[in-house]
Short mmCIF file of all heavy atoms in Angstrom, two decimals:
data_model
loop_
_atom_site.label_atom_id
_atom_site.label_comp_id
_atom_site.label_asym_id
_atom_site.label_seq_id
_atom_site.Cartn_x
_atom_site.Cartn_y
_atom_site.Cartn_z
N MET A 9 118.35 -7.87 -149.32
CA MET A 9 118.33 -9.05 -150.12
C MET A 9 119.38 -10.03 -149.59
O MET A 9 120.43 -9.63 -149.15
CB MET A 9 118.58 -8.71 -151.56
CG MET A 9 117.33 -8.15 -152.20
SD MET A 9 117.63 -7.35 -153.73
CE MET A 9 117.02 -5.75 -153.29
N THR A 10 119.05 -11.29 -149.68
CA THR A 10 119.89 -12.33 -149.11
C THR A 10 120.32 -13.30 -150.21
O THR A 10 119.68 -13.41 -151.23
CB THR A 10 119.06 -13.11 -148.05
OG1 THR A 10 118.37 -12.17 -147.24
CG2 THR A 10 119.92 -13.96 -147.18
N THR A 11 121.40 -14.01 -149.96
CA THR A 11 121.87 -15.00 -150.92
C THR A 11 121.77 -16.38 -150.30
O THR A 11 122.16 -16.58 -149.16
CB THR A 11 123.34 -14.72 -151.32
OG1 THR A 11 123.42 -13.38 -151.78
CG2 THR A 11 123.80 -15.64 -152.39
N SER A 12 121.26 -17.35 -151.04
CA SER A 12 121.16 -18.71 -150.54
C SER A 12 122.48 -19.44 -150.76
O SER A 12 123.39 -18.94 -151.40
CB SER A 12 120.02 -19.45 -151.26
OG SER A 12 120.40 -19.72 -152.57
N SER A 13 122.57 -20.68 -150.26
CA SER A 13 123.81 -21.44 -150.39
C SER A 13 124.14 -21.79 -151.84
O SER A 13 125.28 -22.05 -152.16
CB SER A 13 123.72 -22.71 -149.54
OG SER A 13 122.65 -23.51 -150.00
N THR A 14 123.15 -21.80 -152.73
CA THR A 14 123.41 -22.10 -154.13
C THR A 14 123.81 -20.86 -154.92
O THR A 14 124.12 -20.95 -156.09
CB THR A 14 122.17 -22.74 -154.81
OG1 THR A 14 121.10 -21.80 -154.75
CG2 THR A 14 121.78 -24.03 -154.14
N GLY A 15 123.81 -19.69 -154.27
CA GLY A 15 124.18 -18.46 -154.95
C GLY A 15 123.02 -17.78 -155.64
O GLY A 15 123.20 -16.72 -156.22
N ASN A 16 121.83 -18.36 -155.61
CA ASN A 16 120.66 -17.73 -156.23
C ASN A 16 120.16 -16.63 -155.30
O ASN A 16 119.87 -16.87 -154.14
CB ASN A 16 119.57 -18.78 -156.48
CG ASN A 16 118.48 -18.25 -157.38
OD1 ASN A 16 118.63 -17.21 -158.00
ND2 ASN A 16 117.38 -18.95 -157.44
N ARG A 17 120.04 -15.45 -155.82
CA ARG A 17 119.63 -14.29 -155.04
C ARG A 17 118.16 -14.38 -154.64
O ARG A 17 117.33 -14.85 -155.41
CB ARG A 17 119.84 -13.06 -155.91
CG ARG A 17 120.27 -11.88 -155.15
CD ARG A 17 120.80 -10.81 -156.10
NE ARG A 17 120.36 -9.57 -155.52
CZ ARG A 17 119.80 -8.58 -156.16
NH1 ARG A 17 119.65 -8.64 -157.45
NH2 ARG A 17 119.41 -7.53 -155.53
N LEU A 18 117.86 -13.88 -153.46
CA LEU A 18 116.48 -13.79 -152.99
C LEU A 18 116.03 -12.35 -153.13
O LEU A 18 116.75 -11.42 -152.77
CB LEU A 18 116.38 -14.23 -151.53
CG LEU A 18 116.70 -15.69 -151.26
CD1 LEU A 18 116.71 -15.96 -149.76
CD2 LEU A 18 115.68 -16.59 -151.94
N LEU A 19 114.84 -12.17 -153.68
CA LEU A 19 114.28 -10.84 -153.91
C LEU A 19 113.12 -10.61 -152.97
O LEU A 19 112.23 -11.45 -152.84
CB LEU A 19 113.79 -10.72 -155.35
CG LEU A 19 114.77 -11.07 -156.46
CD1 LEU A 19 114.07 -11.01 -157.81
CD2 LEU A 19 115.97 -10.15 -156.42
N ARG A 20 113.09 -9.45 -152.34
CA ARG A 20 111.95 -9.07 -151.51
C ARG A 20 110.84 -8.55 -152.42
O ARG A 20 111.03 -8.27 -153.60
CB ARG A 20 112.37 -8.02 -150.49
CG ARG A 20 113.45 -8.53 -149.50
CD ARG A 20 113.01 -9.75 -148.69
NE ARG A 20 111.78 -9.55 -147.97
CZ ARG A 20 111.70 -9.11 -146.71
NH1 ARG A 20 112.77 -8.87 -146.02
NH2 ARG A 20 110.53 -8.93 -146.15
N ARG A 21 109.65 -8.42 -151.87
CA ARG A 21 108.47 -8.08 -152.66
C ARG A 21 108.63 -6.79 -153.46
O ARG A 21 108.26 -6.74 -154.64
CB ARG A 21 107.23 -7.99 -151.77
CG ARG A 21 105.96 -7.72 -152.57
CD ARG A 21 104.72 -7.67 -151.70
NE ARG A 21 104.86 -6.82 -150.54
CZ ARG A 21 104.68 -5.49 -150.54
NH1 ARG A 21 104.36 -4.87 -151.65
NH2 ARG A 21 104.81 -4.81 -149.43
N LYS A 22 109.17 -5.76 -152.88
CA LYS A 22 109.32 -4.48 -153.60
C LYS A 22 110.18 -4.65 -154.85
O LYS A 22 109.90 -4.07 -155.90
CB LYS A 22 109.92 -3.41 -152.70
CG LYS A 22 109.02 -2.96 -151.59
CD LYS A 22 107.96 -2.03 -152.10
CE LYS A 22 107.16 -1.47 -150.94
NZ LYS A 22 106.07 -0.65 -151.39
N GLU A 23 111.22 -5.47 -154.75
CA GLU A 23 112.08 -5.73 -155.90
C GLU A 23 111.33 -6.54 -156.95
O GLU A 23 111.46 -6.29 -158.15
CB GLU A 23 113.35 -6.47 -155.47
CG GLU A 23 114.29 -6.81 -156.59
CD GLU A 23 115.00 -5.61 -157.21
OE1 GLU A 23 115.01 -4.53 -156.60
OE2 GLU A 23 115.53 -5.77 -158.32
N VAL A 24 110.52 -7.50 -156.52
CA VAL A 24 109.71 -8.30 -157.45
C VAL A 24 108.72 -7.38 -158.16
O VAL A 24 108.54 -7.47 -159.38
CB VAL A 24 109.00 -9.46 -156.72
CG1 VAL A 24 108.04 -10.19 -157.65
CG2 VAL A 24 110.01 -10.43 -156.14
N GLU A 25 108.08 -6.49 -157.42
CA GLU A 25 107.15 -5.54 -158.03
C GLU A 25 107.87 -4.68 -159.07
O GLU A 25 107.35 -4.48 -160.17
CB GLU A 25 106.54 -4.63 -156.96
CG GLU A 25 105.56 -5.32 -156.05
CD GLU A 25 105.07 -4.41 -154.93
OE1 GLU A 25 105.38 -3.19 -154.92
OE2 GLU A 25 104.37 -4.92 -154.03
N SER A 26 109.05 -4.22 -158.73
CA SER A 26 109.82 -3.37 -159.63
C SER A 26 110.23 -4.12 -160.90
O SER A 26 110.11 -3.59 -162.01
CB SER A 26 111.07 -2.86 -158.91
OG SER A 26 111.89 -2.13 -159.77
N ARG A 27 110.67 -5.34 -160.77
CA ARG A 27 111.12 -6.11 -161.93
C ARG A 27 109.99 -6.55 -162.84
O ARG A 27 110.16 -6.65 -164.04
CB ARG A 27 111.90 -7.34 -161.48
CG ARG A 27 113.25 -7.00 -160.91
CD ARG A 27 114.06 -8.24 -160.76
NE ARG A 27 115.32 -7.93 -160.10
CZ ARG A 27 116.39 -8.69 -160.18
NH1 ARG A 27 116.35 -9.80 -160.88
NH2 ARG A 27 117.48 -8.36 -159.55
N THR A 28 108.84 -6.87 -162.24
CA THR A 28 107.74 -7.41 -163.04
C THR A 28 106.70 -6.37 -163.45
O THR A 28 105.93 -6.61 -164.38
CB THR A 28 106.99 -8.52 -162.26
OG1 THR A 28 106.39 -7.93 -161.09
CG2 THR A 28 107.92 -9.65 -161.87
N GLY A 29 106.65 -5.26 -162.73
CA GLY A 29 105.61 -4.27 -162.99
C GLY A 29 104.27 -4.66 -162.39
O GLY A 29 103.26 -3.99 -162.62
N LYS A 30 104.25 -5.76 -161.63
CA LYS A 30 103.01 -6.22 -161.01
C LYS A 30 102.83 -5.58 -159.63
O LYS A 30 103.80 -5.33 -158.94
CB LYS A 30 103.03 -7.75 -160.82
CG LYS A 30 102.94 -8.53 -162.12
CD LYS A 30 103.10 -10.00 -161.88
CE LYS A 30 101.94 -10.88 -162.02
NZ LYS A 30 100.74 -10.54 -162.63
N SER A 31 101.60 -5.35 -159.25
CA SER A 31 101.30 -4.83 -157.91
C SER A 31 101.34 -5.98 -156.91
O SER A 31 101.35 -7.16 -157.29
CB SER A 31 99.91 -4.20 -157.90
OG SER A 31 98.93 -5.21 -158.10
N ARG A 32 101.34 -5.63 -155.65
CA ARG A 32 101.34 -6.64 -154.59
C ARG A 32 100.16 -7.59 -154.75
O ARG A 32 100.30 -8.81 -154.72
CB ARG A 32 101.26 -5.94 -153.22
CG ARG A 32 101.17 -6.89 -152.05
CD ARG A 32 100.91 -6.10 -150.76
NE ARG A 32 100.76 -6.98 -149.63
CZ ARG A 32 99.66 -7.62 -149.31
NH1 ARG A 32 98.57 -7.49 -150.06
NH2 ARG A 32 99.61 -8.42 -148.27
N SER A 33 98.97 -7.02 -154.97
CA SER A 33 97.78 -7.87 -155.09
C SER A 33 97.84 -8.76 -156.33
O SER A 33 97.42 -9.92 -156.28
CB SER A 33 96.51 -7.03 -155.09
OG SER A 33 96.51 -6.11 -156.16
N ALA A 34 98.40 -8.26 -157.42
CA ALA A 34 98.52 -9.06 -158.64
C ALA A 34 99.52 -10.21 -158.45
O ALA A 34 99.33 -11.31 -158.97
CB ALA A 34 98.93 -8.19 -159.81
N ILE A 35 100.58 -9.94 -157.70
CA ILE A 35 101.56 -11.00 -157.41
C ILE A 35 100.89 -12.13 -156.64
O ILE A 35 100.99 -13.30 -157.02
CB ILE A 35 102.76 -10.43 -156.63
CG1 ILE A 35 103.62 -9.54 -157.53
CG2 ILE A 35 103.60 -11.56 -156.01
CD1 ILE A 35 104.67 -8.72 -156.80
N TYR A 36 100.20 -11.77 -155.57
CA TYR A 36 99.56 -12.81 -154.75
C TYR A 36 98.40 -13.50 -155.47
O TYR A 36 98.16 -14.69 -155.26
CB TYR A 36 99.15 -12.25 -153.38
CG TYR A 36 100.37 -12.09 -152.50
CD1 TYR A 36 100.97 -10.87 -152.31
CD2 TYR A 36 100.94 -13.21 -151.89
CE1 TYR A 36 102.12 -10.74 -151.52
CE2 TYR A 36 102.07 -13.10 -151.11
CZ TYR A 36 102.65 -11.87 -150.92
OH TYR A 36 103.79 -11.76 -150.15
N GLU A 37 97.72 -12.79 -156.34
CA GLU A 37 96.67 -13.41 -157.17
C GLU A 37 97.31 -14.45 -158.11
O GLU A 37 96.80 -15.55 -158.28
CB GLU A 37 95.94 -12.35 -157.99
CG GLU A 37 95.02 -12.93 -159.03
CD GLU A 37 93.57 -12.85 -158.64
OE1 GLU A 37 93.27 -12.31 -157.58
OE2 GLU A 37 92.75 -13.34 -159.42
N GLY A 38 98.44 -14.09 -158.72
CA GLY A 38 99.15 -15.01 -159.60
C GLY A 38 99.63 -16.25 -158.85
O GLY A 38 99.57 -17.37 -159.37
N ILE A 39 100.09 -16.06 -157.63
CA ILE A 39 100.53 -17.19 -156.81
C ILE A 39 99.33 -18.11 -156.55
O ILE A 39 99.43 -19.33 -156.68
CB ILE A 39 101.15 -16.69 -155.48
CG1 ILE A 39 102.46 -15.97 -155.76
CG2 ILE A 39 101.37 -17.86 -154.52
CD1 ILE A 39 102.96 -15.14 -154.59
N ARG A 40 98.22 -17.50 -156.17
CA ARG A 40 97.01 -18.27 -155.88
C ARG A 40 96.55 -19.07 -157.10
O ARG A 40 96.15 -20.23 -156.98
CB ARG A 40 95.89 -17.33 -155.40
CG ARG A 40 94.63 -18.05 -154.95
CD ARG A 40 93.55 -17.09 -154.49
NE ARG A 40 93.07 -16.18 -155.52
CZ ARG A 40 92.27 -16.52 -156.54
NH1 ARG A 40 91.86 -17.75 -156.66
NH2 ARG A 40 91.89 -15.62 -157.42
N LYS A 41 96.65 -18.48 -158.28
CA LYS A 41 96.23 -19.14 -159.52
C LYS A 41 97.29 -20.11 -160.06
O LYS A 41 97.02 -20.83 -161.01
CB LYS A 41 95.93 -18.10 -160.59
CG LYS A 41 94.69 -17.30 -160.33
CD LYS A 41 94.47 -16.30 -161.46
CE LYS A 41 93.16 -15.58 -161.32
NZ LYS A 41 92.96 -14.61 -162.41
N GLY A 42 98.49 -20.06 -159.50
CA GLY A 42 99.56 -20.92 -159.99
C GLY A 42 100.26 -20.38 -161.23
O GLY A 42 100.94 -21.12 -161.91
N THR A 43 100.10 -19.09 -161.50
CA THR A 43 100.70 -18.49 -162.69
C THR A 43 101.92 -17.63 -162.36
O THR A 43 102.51 -17.03 -163.26
CB THR A 43 99.68 -17.63 -163.45
OG1 THR A 43 99.21 -16.59 -162.57
CG2 THR A 43 98.51 -18.47 -163.93
N PHE A 44 102.28 -17.55 -161.09
CA PHE A 44 103.43 -16.75 -160.65
C PHE A 44 104.16 -17.55 -159.58
O PHE A 44 103.53 -18.25 -158.79
CB PHE A 44 102.97 -15.40 -160.10
CG PHE A 44 104.08 -14.41 -159.95
CD1 PHE A 44 104.55 -13.71 -161.05
CD2 PHE A 44 104.68 -14.19 -158.72
CE1 PHE A 44 105.60 -12.80 -160.93
CE2 PHE A 44 105.71 -13.28 -158.59
CZ PHE A 44 106.18 -12.59 -159.70
N PRO A 45 105.49 -17.45 -159.55
CA PRO A 45 106.25 -18.24 -158.57
C PRO A 45 105.87 -17.90 -157.13
O PRO A 45 105.64 -16.73 -156.80
CB PRO A 45 107.71 -17.84 -158.82
CG PRO A 45 107.75 -17.12 -160.12
CD PRO A 45 106.36 -16.63 -160.40
N ALA A 46 105.83 -18.92 -156.30
CA ALA A 46 105.54 -18.73 -154.88
C ALA A 46 106.81 -18.28 -154.15
O ALA A 46 107.92 -18.65 -154.53
CB ALA A 46 105.02 -20.03 -154.28
N PRO A 47 106.65 -17.49 -153.11
CA PRO A 47 107.81 -17.06 -152.34
C PRO A 47 108.30 -18.17 -151.41
O PRO A 47 107.60 -19.17 -151.20
CB PRO A 47 107.27 -15.89 -151.53
CG PRO A 47 105.83 -16.22 -151.32
CD PRO A 47 105.40 -16.92 -152.59
N VAL A 48 109.49 -17.97 -150.88
CA VAL A 48 110.05 -18.89 -149.89
C VAL A 48 110.13 -18.15 -148.56
O VAL A 48 110.44 -16.95 -148.53
CB VAL A 48 111.44 -19.43 -150.30
CG1 VAL A 48 111.35 -20.27 -151.54
CG2 VAL A 48 112.42 -18.29 -150.52
N PRO A 49 109.83 -18.83 -147.46
CA PRO A 49 109.94 -18.17 -146.15
C PRO A 49 111.41 -17.94 -145.82
O PRO A 49 112.27 -18.78 -146.08
CB PRO A 49 109.31 -19.18 -145.19
CG PRO A 49 109.27 -20.47 -145.90
CD PRO A 49 109.34 -20.19 -147.37
N ILE A 50 111.70 -16.75 -145.25
CA ILE A 50 113.08 -16.45 -144.88
C ILE A 50 113.22 -16.10 -143.40
O ILE A 50 114.26 -15.65 -142.96
CB ILE A 50 113.67 -15.33 -145.77
CG1 ILE A 50 112.86 -14.05 -145.66
CG2 ILE A 50 113.81 -15.81 -147.20
CD1 ILE A 50 113.50 -12.85 -146.36
N GLY A 51 112.16 -16.34 -142.65
CA GLY A 51 112.21 -16.11 -141.21
C GLY A 51 111.08 -15.21 -140.74
O GLY A 51 110.73 -14.25 -141.42
N GLY A 52 110.53 -15.56 -139.60
CA GLY A 52 109.41 -14.78 -139.07
C GLY A 52 108.28 -14.74 -140.07
O GLY A 52 107.86 -15.77 -140.60
N LYS A 53 107.79 -13.56 -140.34
CA LYS A 53 106.71 -13.39 -141.32
C LYS A 53 107.24 -12.95 -142.67
O LYS A 53 106.48 -12.53 -143.54
CB LYS A 53 105.70 -12.36 -140.80
CG LYS A 53 104.97 -12.80 -139.55
CD LYS A 53 103.98 -11.74 -139.12
CE LYS A 53 103.25 -12.18 -137.87
NZ LYS A 53 102.28 -11.17 -137.43
N SER A 54 108.55 -13.02 -142.86
CA SER A 54 109.18 -12.55 -144.09
C SER A 54 109.27 -13.63 -145.15
O SER A 54 109.51 -14.79 -144.84
CB SER A 54 110.58 -12.03 -143.79
OG SER A 54 110.54 -10.96 -142.89
N VAL A 55 109.08 -13.21 -146.39
CA VAL A 55 109.25 -14.11 -147.53
C VAL A 55 110.06 -13.39 -148.60
O VAL A 55 110.21 -12.17 -148.58
CB VAL A 55 107.89 -14.55 -148.13
CG1 VAL A 55 107.08 -15.36 -147.13
CG2 VAL A 55 107.11 -13.36 -148.66
N ALA A 56 110.59 -14.18 -149.53
CA ALA A 56 111.33 -13.64 -150.66
C ALA A 56 111.13 -14.58 -151.83
O ALA A 56 110.69 -15.71 -151.67
CB ALA A 56 112.80 -13.50 -150.32
N TRP A 57 111.44 -14.09 -153.02
CA TRP A 57 111.30 -14.88 -154.24
C TRP A 57 112.68 -15.20 -154.78
O TRP A 57 113.59 -14.37 -154.71
CB TRP A 57 110.52 -14.11 -155.29
CG TRP A 57 109.05 -14.08 -155.04
CD1 TRP A 57 108.11 -14.83 -155.67
CD2 TRP A 57 108.33 -13.26 -154.11
NE1 TRP A 57 106.86 -14.55 -155.19
CE2 TRP A 57 106.97 -13.58 -154.21
CE3 TRP A 57 108.71 -12.31 -153.17
CZ2 TRP A 57 105.99 -12.99 -153.45
CZ3 TRP A 57 107.74 -11.70 -152.38
CH2 TRP A 57 106.39 -12.04 -152.54
N LEU A 58 112.81 -16.38 -155.36
CA LEU A 58 114.07 -16.74 -156.00
C LEU A 58 114.20 -15.92 -157.28
O LEU A 58 113.31 -15.95 -158.14
CB LEU A 58 114.11 -18.23 -156.33
CG LEU A 58 114.17 -19.17 -155.13
CD1 LEU A 58 113.98 -20.61 -155.58
CD2 LEU A 58 115.49 -19.01 -154.41
N GLU A 59 115.31 -15.22 -157.41
CA GLU A 59 115.54 -14.39 -158.58
C GLU A 59 115.41 -15.19 -159.87
O GLU A 59 114.80 -14.74 -160.84
CB GLU A 59 116.93 -13.76 -158.49
CG GLU A 59 117.27 -12.86 -159.65
CD GLU A 59 118.64 -12.24 -159.51
OE1 GLU A 59 119.58 -12.95 -159.10
OE2 GLU A 59 118.76 -11.05 -159.82
N GLU A 60 115.95 -16.39 -159.85
CA GLU A 60 115.91 -17.27 -161.03
C GLU A 60 114.47 -17.55 -161.46
O GLU A 60 114.15 -17.55 -162.65
CB GLU A 60 116.63 -18.57 -160.69
CG GLU A 60 116.70 -19.57 -161.80
CD GLU A 60 117.47 -20.80 -161.36
OE1 GLU A 60 118.67 -20.70 -161.09
OE2 GLU A 60 116.83 -21.87 -161.28
N GLU A 61 113.58 -17.78 -160.50
CA GLU A 61 112.18 -18.07 -160.83
C GLU A 61 111.46 -16.84 -161.37
O GLU A 61 110.65 -16.94 -162.30
CB GLU A 61 111.45 -18.63 -159.61
CG GLU A 61 111.94 -20.00 -159.22
CD GLU A 61 111.24 -20.57 -158.00
OE1 GLU A 61 110.43 -19.86 -157.35
OE2 GLU A 61 111.52 -21.73 -157.67
N VAL A 62 111.75 -15.68 -160.80
CA VAL A 62 111.13 -14.44 -161.28
C VAL A 62 111.63 -14.13 -162.69
O VAL A 62 110.83 -13.80 -163.58
CB VAL A 62 111.42 -13.26 -160.32
CG1 VAL A 62 110.93 -11.94 -160.90
CG2 VAL A 62 110.78 -13.52 -158.96
N GLU A 63 112.93 -14.28 -162.92
CA GLU A 63 113.49 -14.03 -164.25
C GLU A 63 112.91 -15.02 -165.28
O GLU A 63 112.65 -14.65 -166.42
CB GLU A 63 115.01 -14.10 -164.22
CG GLU A 63 115.65 -12.98 -163.42
CD GLU A 63 115.35 -11.59 -163.96
OE1 GLU A 63 115.30 -11.41 -165.19
OE2 GLU A 63 115.16 -10.67 -163.13
N SER A 64 112.71 -16.26 -164.86
CA SER A 64 112.12 -17.27 -165.75
C SER A 64 110.68 -16.89 -166.09
O SER A 64 110.25 -17.03 -167.25
CB SER A 64 112.17 -18.63 -165.08
OG SER A 64 111.57 -19.60 -165.88
N TRP A 65 109.93 -16.39 -165.11
CA TRP A 65 108.55 -15.96 -165.35
C TRP A 65 108.53 -14.83 -166.38
O TRP A 65 107.72 -14.83 -167.30
CB TRP A 65 107.90 -15.52 -164.03
CG TRP A 65 106.50 -15.04 -164.20
CD1 TRP A 65 105.36 -15.78 -164.20
CD2 TRP A 65 106.09 -13.68 -164.44
NE1 TRP A 65 104.27 -14.97 -164.43
CE2 TRP A 65 104.70 -13.68 -164.56
CE3 TRP A 65 106.78 -12.48 -164.54
CZ2 TRP A 65 103.97 -12.52 -164.79
CZ3 TRP A 65 106.05 -11.32 -164.78
CH2 TRP A 65 104.66 -11.35 -164.89
N ILE A 66 109.45 -13.87 -166.22
CA ILE A 66 109.54 -12.75 -167.16
C ILE A 66 109.86 -13.27 -168.56
O ILE A 66 109.23 -12.88 -169.55
CB ILE A 66 110.59 -11.72 -166.69
CG1 ILE A 66 110.11 -11.03 -165.41
CG2 ILE A 66 110.88 -10.69 -167.79
CD1 ILE A 66 111.18 -10.20 -164.71
N ALA A 67 110.83 -14.17 -168.65
CA ALA A 67 111.22 -14.74 -169.95
C ALA A 67 110.04 -15.47 -170.60
O ALA A 67 109.84 -15.38 -171.81
CB ALA A 67 112.40 -15.69 -169.78
N ASN A 68 109.25 -16.18 -169.81
CA ASN A 68 108.07 -16.88 -170.34
C ASN A 68 107.04 -15.90 -170.87
O ASN A 68 106.38 -16.16 -171.89
CB ASN A 68 107.45 -17.78 -169.28
CG ASN A 68 108.29 -19.01 -169.01
OD1 ASN A 68 109.09 -19.42 -169.83
ND2 ASN A 68 108.12 -19.59 -167.83
N CYS A 69 106.87 -14.76 -170.20
CA CYS A 69 105.94 -13.73 -170.68
C CYS A 69 106.40 -13.19 -172.03
O CYS A 69 105.58 -13.01 -172.94
CB CYS A 69 105.84 -12.58 -169.68
SG CYS A 69 104.96 -12.99 -168.17
N VAL A 70 107.69 -12.95 -172.16
CA VAL A 70 108.23 -12.44 -173.42
C VAL A 70 108.07 -13.48 -174.52
O VAL A 70 107.67 -13.16 -175.64
CB VAL A 70 109.71 -12.03 -173.25
CG1 VAL A 70 110.34 -11.69 -174.59
CG2 VAL A 70 109.83 -10.86 -172.28
N ALA A 71 108.34 -14.75 -174.20
CA ALA A 71 108.20 -15.83 -175.18
C ALA A 71 106.74 -15.96 -175.64
O ALA A 71 106.47 -16.16 -176.83
CB ALA A 71 108.70 -17.14 -174.61
N ALA A 72 105.81 -15.84 -174.70
CA ALA A 72 104.39 -15.93 -175.05
C ALA A 72 103.98 -14.78 -175.96
O ALA A 72 103.23 -14.97 -176.92
CB ALA A 72 103.53 -15.94 -173.78
N ARG A 73 104.50 -13.59 -175.68
CA ARG A 73 104.21 -12.45 -176.53
C ARG A 73 104.75 -12.66 -177.94
O ARG A 73 104.07 -12.41 -178.93
CB ARG A 73 104.80 -11.17 -175.94
CG ARG A 73 104.52 -9.96 -176.81
CD ARG A 73 105.38 -8.79 -176.50
NE ARG A 73 106.77 -9.12 -176.84
CZ ARG A 73 107.79 -8.32 -176.59
NH1 ARG A 73 107.60 -7.18 -175.98
NH2 ARG A 73 109.01 -8.67 -176.94
N THR A 74 105.98 -13.16 -178.02
CA THR A 74 106.60 -13.41 -179.32
C THR A 74 105.81 -14.45 -180.11
O THR A 74 105.56 -14.27 -181.30
CB THR A 74 108.06 -13.88 -179.12
OG1 THR A 74 108.76 -12.86 -178.39
CG2 THR A 74 108.76 -14.12 -180.43
N ALA A 75 105.40 -15.52 -179.44
CA ALA A 75 104.61 -16.56 -180.10
C ALA A 75 103.27 -16.01 -180.57
O ALA A 75 102.80 -16.32 -181.67
CB ALA A 75 104.40 -17.74 -179.16
N SER A 76 102.66 -15.17 -179.76
CA SER A 76 101.38 -14.56 -180.11
C SER A 76 101.52 -13.68 -181.34
O SER A 76 100.67 -13.71 -182.24
CB SER A 76 100.86 -13.75 -178.93
OG SER A 76 99.69 -13.06 -179.28
N ARG A 77 102.59 -12.92 -181.41
CA ARG A 77 102.82 -12.04 -182.57
C ARG A 77 103.05 -12.86 -183.83
O ARG A 77 102.61 -12.49 -184.91
CB ARG A 77 104.01 -11.12 -182.31
CG ARG A 77 103.67 -10.02 -181.36
CD ARG A 77 104.84 -9.09 -181.19
NE ARG A 77 104.47 -7.98 -180.33
CZ ARG A 77 105.31 -7.06 -179.92
NH1 ARG A 77 106.58 -7.11 -180.28
NH2 ARG A 77 104.90 -6.08 -179.15
N LYS A 78 103.76 -13.97 -183.70
CA LYS A 78 104.00 -14.85 -184.86
C LYS A 78 102.69 -15.41 -185.38
O LYS A 78 102.48 -15.50 -186.59
CB LYS A 78 104.96 -15.98 -184.51
CG LYS A 78 106.39 -15.55 -184.42
CD LYS A 78 107.29 -16.72 -184.15
CE LYS A 78 108.74 -16.27 -184.05
NZ LYS A 78 109.64 -17.39 -183.77
N ASN A 79 101.80 -15.80 -184.47
CA ASN A 79 100.50 -16.34 -184.86
C ASN A 79 99.64 -15.29 -185.56
O ASN A 79 98.88 -15.62 -186.46
CB ASN A 79 99.75 -16.90 -183.65
CG ASN A 79 100.39 -18.18 -183.14
OD1 ASN A 79 101.11 -18.87 -183.87
ND2 ASN A 79 100.14 -18.50 -181.88
N LEU A 80 99.76 -14.04 -185.14
CA LEU A 80 98.99 -12.97 -185.78
C LEU A 80 99.48 -12.70 -187.20
O LEU A 80 98.71 -12.30 -188.06
CB LEU A 80 99.08 -11.69 -184.95
CG LEU A 80 98.34 -11.69 -183.63
CD1 LEU A 80 98.63 -10.39 -182.88
CD2 LEU A 80 96.84 -11.84 -183.83
N ASN A 81 100.77 -12.91 -187.41
CA ASN A 81 101.36 -12.63 -188.74
C ASN A 81 101.15 -13.78 -189.72
O ASN A 81 101.44 -13.62 -190.90
CB ASN A 81 102.85 -12.32 -188.60
CG ASN A 81 103.08 -10.99 -187.90
OD1 ASN A 81 102.27 -10.09 -187.99
ND2 ASN A 81 104.18 -10.88 -187.19
N ASN A 82 100.71 -14.91 -189.25
CA ASN A 82 100.50 -16.07 -190.16
C ASN A 82 99.09 -16.15 -190.65
O ASN A 82 98.16 -15.75 -190.24
CB ASN A 82 100.87 -17.37 -189.46
CG ASN A 82 102.38 -17.48 -189.28
OD1 ASN A 82 103.14 -16.90 -190.04
ND2 ASN A 82 102.78 -18.19 -188.27
#
């Protein structure tokens, strides 16, 4: 894992899979659909994801679940 000049950590795909529970194919499907953050190139054929963007995606999933539960209770 690498750190950018702003201090935001870069996550490789295996770490993104571990944090999100998504498979490789589901990650790339989400990118294609615009529902998951796109990776940034880090050299050669390598890419990584901004930790901040992945964490934000996770937080949005939790918020959507919470909102959905509130709607079910009303």
Side-chain angles (χ1 to χ4, degrees):
M9 282 165 240
T10 314
T11 306
S12 72
S13 61
T14 61
N16 193 13
R17 215 166 143 226
L18 295 174
L19 307 175
R20 298 301 305 268
R21 183 179 49 84
K22 291 283 186 184
E23 179 70 16
V24 173
E25 289 175 7
S26 176
R27 288 192 185 201
T28 64
K30 290 174 109 14
S31 66
R32 177 187 177 279
S33 59
I35 289 169
Y36 284 101
E37 170 104 2
I39 292 165
R40 185 180 62 74
K41 290 181 174 179
T43 60
F44 194 79
V48 295
I50 59 172
K53 295 181 180 180
S54 299
V55 296
W57 283 258
L58 292 171
E59 180 179 41
E60 181 178 294
E61 292 179 354
V62 173
E63 293 299 322
S64 178
W65 179 87
I66 292 169
N68 287 338
C69 288
V70 172
R73 180 197 65 185
T74 302
S76 175
R77 286 183 176 175
K78 284 183 180 179
N79 289 338
L80 289 175
N81 291 331
N82 289 334

